[in-house]
Amino acid sequence: MLDWLRLARTPEVGPATFAQLIARFGSAPSALEELPRLARRGGGKIFVPATEEDTAREWDALEKAGGRLVLSCDPDFPEGLAALAPPPPLISVLGALPRRDMIAIVGARNASALARKFAQLLARELGEARLVVVSGLARGIDSAAHEAALEHGTVAVVAGGVDVIYPPENEILYRAIVEQGAVISEMPFGEAPQARHFPRRNRLISGLSRGVVVVEAAERSGSLITAHYALEQGREIFAVPGSPLDPRAKGANRLIREGATLIESAGDVLSVLGPILGRKFHEPETAPPAAPQIELGLEQEADHVRRRVEEALSAAPVEMDELIRQTGAEPSAVLTVILELELAGRCRRHPGNRVSWAAFPAV
Amino acid sequence: MLDWLRLARTPEVGPATFAQLIARFGSAPSALEELPRLARRGGGKIFVPATEEDTAREWDALEKAGGRLVLSCDPDFPEGLAALAPPPPLISVLGALPRRDMIAIVGARNASALARKFAQLLARELGEARLVVVSGLARGIDSAAHEAALEHGTVAVVAGGVDVIYPPENEILYRAIVEQGAVISEMPFGEAPQARHFPRRNRLISGLSRGVVVVEAAERSGSLITAHYALEQGREIFAVPGSPLDPRAKGANRLIREGATLIESAGDVLSVLGPILGRKFHEPETAPPAAPQIELGLEQEADHVRRRVEEALSAAPVEMDELIRQTGAEPSAVLTVILELELAGRCRRHPGNRVSWAAFPAV
């Protein structure tokens, strides 16, 4: 167990290298043993893996703070993260990681007030639908989403150690999340967040989730990195549109153009996730029938079906093919009757190939 | 010719009925002759077609105003309208109808200032690309689009007669369009616009055009009717996204969800229309190559390719499969070399399965 952490904390060993080493040497102790030889072959002079002492100290400190380590080989390692290629070797957890399906809500730190309000609304409704909202505890959209989802349990993935509160003004929110959900990280306990940690944080946000909602994101923003990971990981990507003249909407709009689902409400998210999760959040809408092919008929046929057409017509416009279906007559005959009724001023045509008695005002 | 107009102006004869009558009886005079008999069969008591006198008076008034009628059987009837099912029997034209490809820009009358500005930008750039901007001369988006496209020729389709200026505050714009483009209508000269005429006006806007851009449109708005016709007519539909919390964006956002192309600039429109019109407005982007499948290799293979990998690596991150391609080596061997270099602290991994020499800061 300690060797697993030690291998993961060795500076040159990232998740991909970690997975490759375990696959090659079978276990963390064997990999640690082989590391110096491999590094020599690569041209390195001295190779220093993480020390046993540092590793033990991290482990203790985390446990003292009420947290725990979950290794990628543990049975309770989150399914979404275990499925990543490569999975993070381990995560630190403060709080209790919910075992329900998760949905990420991410977006700009300098989000507009409107977008923050939208994120809150969305997070609350997705929480009420028993989804766990995941985000990155950043200012703006992230904070708004965590706050609104708190009572349903929410998960914050942070870029530094789980004990490092960043940004500092989120202290109250951070403590509430530890109480009512979980704060997790791939980074060592006590480590300050650095710019280069954020992509790894974002990879975990999408990895934990069944889908990622991008609320407001400029071009080249962190939220787009999260969406990029979501795509790689086969997660659903949802984006909230905005005006092309607002630079904060550029990223989300581009995602939509590239195939992300445009959403305007929690219902839009749930109607996509429902079938995937095998849950029914929403009744699907049925498509309207196609317009009928119209052909000309004869007056004699018309005489036979006139009464049926007159019975089927009503004050409200009805589609021509509905009329044809109801009367069970040839389209050409129904069309001729309608033509005659129309010329007689008794029926009226409406957009969408619909007809009604003339008493009904045209749409 | 006069009978064509007379049949079209007969109150019970809309475009569908007109087309059906011409198809059935071969000509306008024959159809006029048969009308009273058909109406009797439909249960009508007295049938009064448009009078020859009224019809001649309309024709004269239009010509006196400098306009002319174009019948759907005329060789210079606009192609887009001739292809409709049914085509309008005829249109009145004031000004000169340009013979170039057209694009409709439509949207809300109570549009936001931002959306009006966007419509102007779009109309100007589409005009510069030699497309004729078509719209409905309404307040808001329509007026903004016409104004910005004026110098490149623009076409206004109106719901009343071509001589009726509506809304009245658009008088200057109306006169400029007649000078530098055309005002057209399906309705009789002198007729005041009525609510029920607007769907027919909208059908012509989309019919004339290769595509329809919806800039800002609430649910149940006229712009959505235009988009609906565009769909029926096989025209391209473009929509400009907006915040879900802005009711004026609801319609355009829904169009995008239903398959319309999300656009943020004239370039987005042109890159779709280019291939359809056989013109090249825009260089298509190439998709990035897919991520490689990684498998484990042996150290011996690594020894053979180490130098080639070191030569191919650079300070800037390069994709792993580019590296494999450049070295011409087995993926497993390249991967092993990278692993060794990484453990030696000499190379570094980046998001997107890319690697570089360690000197380059991580992205």
Side-chain angles (χ1 to χ4, degrees):
Chain A
M1 287 274 281
L2 207 58
D3 277 343
W4 191 277
L5 179 60
R6 203 180 148 207
L7 183 60
R9 294 303 184 228
T10 294
E12 287 76 17
V13 178
T17 311
F18 187 96
Q20 211 178 336
L21 288 169
I22 294 292
R24 185 147 168 189
F25 300 110
S27 72
S30 312
L32 280 169
E33 210 165 286
E34 297 283 350
L35 280 180
R37 191 178 61 82
L38 288 178
R40 262 196 313 279
R41 286 171 51 86
K45 281 162 207 101
I46 320 155
F47 183 81
V48 188
T51 65
E52 280 183 50
E53 201 188 351
D54 285 351
T55 309
R57 196 180 300 130
E58 179 189 343
W59 193 299
D60 285 349
L62 175 63
E63 291 207 328
K64 228 170 260 169
R68 65 190 192 100
L69 281 174
V70 187
L71 312 187
S72 62
C73 56
D74 285 346
D76 62 343
F77 194 69
E79 248 179 78
L81 297 185
L84 298 186
L90 48 80
I91 53 171
S92 313
V93 180
L94 268 184
L97 207 50
R99 293 282 143 199
R100 286 176 282 129
D101 287 312
M102 303 195 188
I103 178 91
I105 300 179
V106 298
R109 282 187 296 274
N110 65 342
S112 65
L114 214 61
R116 286 204 305 275
K117 187 177 146 194
F118 182 82
Q120 280 171 350
L121 207 68
L122 192 70
R124 184 168 307 119
E125 289 182 21
L126 292 174
E128 283 163 4
R130 307 286 301 144
L131 287 170
V132 176
V133 171
V134 180
S135 197
L137 199 65
R139 297 184 180 97
I141 298 299
D142 287 21
S143 299
H146 283 306
E147 272 164 19
L150 254 185
E151 62 174 305
H152 304 286
T154 179
V155 174
V157 186
V158 295
V162 279
D163 57 318
V164 181
I165 302 173
Y166 182 85
E169 71 261 34
N170 271 354
E171 182 172 348
I172 293 170
L173 177 59
Y174 167 93
R175 297 204 188 284
I177 294 173
V178 172
E179 276 307 305
Q180 299 191 254
V183 173
I184 76 166
S185 174
E186 200 178 344
M187 292 296 133
F189 192 81
E191 179 122 335
Q194 295 172 37
R196 65 191 173 85
H197 292 162
F198 284 88
R200 284 179 70 176
R201 190 265 314 245
N202 295 351
R203 191 175 84 103
L204 263 54
I205 290 176
S206 57
L208 278 170
S209 309
R210 306 302 298 243
V212 172
V213 182
V214 177
V215 175
E216 210 168 50
E219 288 286 18
R220 311 182 64 82
S221 62
S223 305
L224 292 194
I225 294 178
T226 310
H228 175 86
Y229 280 124
L231 185 69
E232 251 183 39
Q233 296 162 356
R235 308 301 193 248
E236 293 297 319
I237 306 174
F238 303 96
V240 180
S243 163
L245 296 179
D246 183 350
R248 285 174 299 204
K250 283 262 177 262
N253 286 346
R254 186 154 65 80
L255 289 176
I256 294 168
R257 258 211 311 262
E258 292 173 354
T261 303
L262 183 156
I263 66 137
E264 297 186 286
S265 66
D268 293 341
V269 174
L270 297 174
S271 68
V272 170
L273 286 187
I276 296 169
L277 305 182
R279 289 163 62 180
K280 198 175 184 182
F281 297 110
H282 182 83
E283 286 293 330
E285 287 172 30
T286 53
Q293 294 298 314
I294 293 174
E295 51 176 270
L296 289 175
L298 298 168
E299 296 179 8
Q300 273 162 308
E301 284 175 32
D303 289 338
H304 293 299
V305 300
R306 181 167 296 111
R307 218 174 83 198
R308 275 183 281 160
V309 173
E310 291 182 354
E311 280 168 6
L313 266 179
S314 74
V318 59
E319 284 194 24
M320 195 71 93
D321 54 349
E322 175 59 24
L323 210 62
I324 290 165
R325 207 184 53 72
Q326 279 186 21
T327 57
E330 283 298 306
S332 56
V334 175
L335 208 69
T336 297
V337 173
I338 292 295
L339 171 65
E340 292 168 356
L341 291 172
E342 197 183 1
L343 291 171
R346 295 178 57 206
C347 96
R348 177 170 293 169
R349 292 183 196 246
H350 303 269
N353 204 24
R354 294 174 305 148
V355 287
S356 72
W357 287 117
F360 190 78
V363 175
Chain B
M1 286 273 282
L2 207 58
D3 277 344
W4 191 277
L5 179 59
R6 202 179 148 208
L7 183 61
R9 295 300 183 229
T10 294
E12 287 78 16
V13 177
T17 312
F18 187 95
Q20 212 178 335
L21 289 169
I22 294 291
R24 186 148 168 188
F25 300 110
S27 71
S30 314
L32 280 169
E33 209 165 286
E34 296 284 349
L35 279 179
R37 190 177 61 82
L38 287 178
R40 262 196 313 278
R41 286 171 51 84
K45 282 164 208 97
I46 321 157
F47 182 82
V48 187
T51 65
E52 280 182 52
E53 201 188 351
D54 286 350
T55 309
R57 195 181 301 131
E58 179 188 345
W59 193 300
D60 285 348
L62 176 62
E63 291 207 328
K64 227 169 262 171
R68 66 191 191 100
L69 280 175
V70 186
L71 312 187
S72 62
C73 56
D74 285 346
D76 62 343
F77 194 69
E79 248 179 77
L81 297 184
L84 298 186
L90 48 81
I91 54 171
S92 313
V93 180
L94 268 185
L97 207 51
R99 293 282 145 199
R100 287 175 282 128
D101 287 311
M102 302 194 188
I103 178 90
I105 300 179
V106 299
R109 282 186 296 273
N110 64 343
S112 64
L114 213 61
R116 285 203 306 274
K117 188 178 146 194
F118 182 82
Q120 280 172 348
L121 207 67
L122 193 70
R124 185 168 307 119
E125 289 182 21
L126 292 173
E128 284 164 3
R130 307 284 303 141
L131 288 170
V132 176
V133 171
V134 181
S135 196
L137 198 67
R139 296 184 181 97
I141 298 300
D142 288 19
S143 299
H146 283 305
E147 272 164 19
L150 253 186
E151 61 174 307
H152 305 286
T154 179
V155 174
V157 186
V158 296
V162 279
D163 57 319
V164 180
I165 302 173
Y166 183 84
E169 71 260 36
N170 272 354
E171 182 172 349
I172 293 171
L173 177 60
Y174 167 93
R175 297 207 186 283
I177 295 172
V178 172
E179 277 306 306
Q180 300 192 253
V183 172
I184 76 168
S185 174
E186 201 179 345
M187 292 295 134
F189 193 82
E191 178 122 336
Q194 294 172 37
R196 65 192 174 85
H197 291 162
F198 284 88
R200 284 180 72 176
R201 189 265 314 246
N202 295 350
R203 190 175 85 103
L204 264 53
I205 290 176
S206 57
L208 279 170
S209 310
R210 306 301 299 243
V212 172
V213 183
V214 178
V215 175
E216 209 168 48
E219 288 286 18
R220 311 183 64 81
S221 62
S223 305
L224 292 193
I225 294 178
T226 310
H228 175 85
Y229 280 123
L231 185 70
E232 250 182 40
Q233 297 163 355
R235 308 301 193 248
E236 293 297 318
I237 306 174
F238 304 96
V240 180
S243 163
L245 295 180
D246 182 351
R248 285 175 298 203
K250 284 263 178 259
N253 287 346
R254 186 154 65 80
L255 289 176
I256 294 168
R257 256 208 314 260
E258 291 172 355
T261 302
L262 182 156
I263 65 136
E264 296 184 287
S265 66
D268 292 341
V269 175
L270 297 174
S271 67
V272 171
L273 285 187
I276 296 169
L277 305 182
R279 288 165 61 181
K280 198 176 185 182
F281 296 110
H282 181 84
E283 287 293 331
E285 287 172 31
T286 54
Q293 295 298 313
I294 294 173
E295 51 176 88
L296 289 175
L298 298 168
E299 296 178 8
Q300 272 162 307
E301 285 175 33
D303 290 337
H304 293 298
V305 299
R306 181 167 297 110
R307 220 175 79 199
R308 274 183 281 160
V309 173
E310 290 181 356
E311 280 168 7
L313 266 179
S314 75
V318 58
E319 283 194 25
M320 195 71 93
D321 54 348
E322 176 59 23
L323 210 62
I324 290 165
R325 206 183 54 72
Q326 279 186 21
T327 57
E330 283 298 305
S332 57
V334 176
L335 207 70
T336 297
V337 173
I338 292 295
L339 171 65
E340 291 167 357
L341 290 172
E342 197 182 1
L343 291 171
R346 293 178 60 207
C347 97
R348 176 170 293 167
R349 293 183 195 247
H350 302 268
N353 202 27
R354 295 174 304 149
V355 288
S356 72
W357 287 117
F360 190 78
V363 175

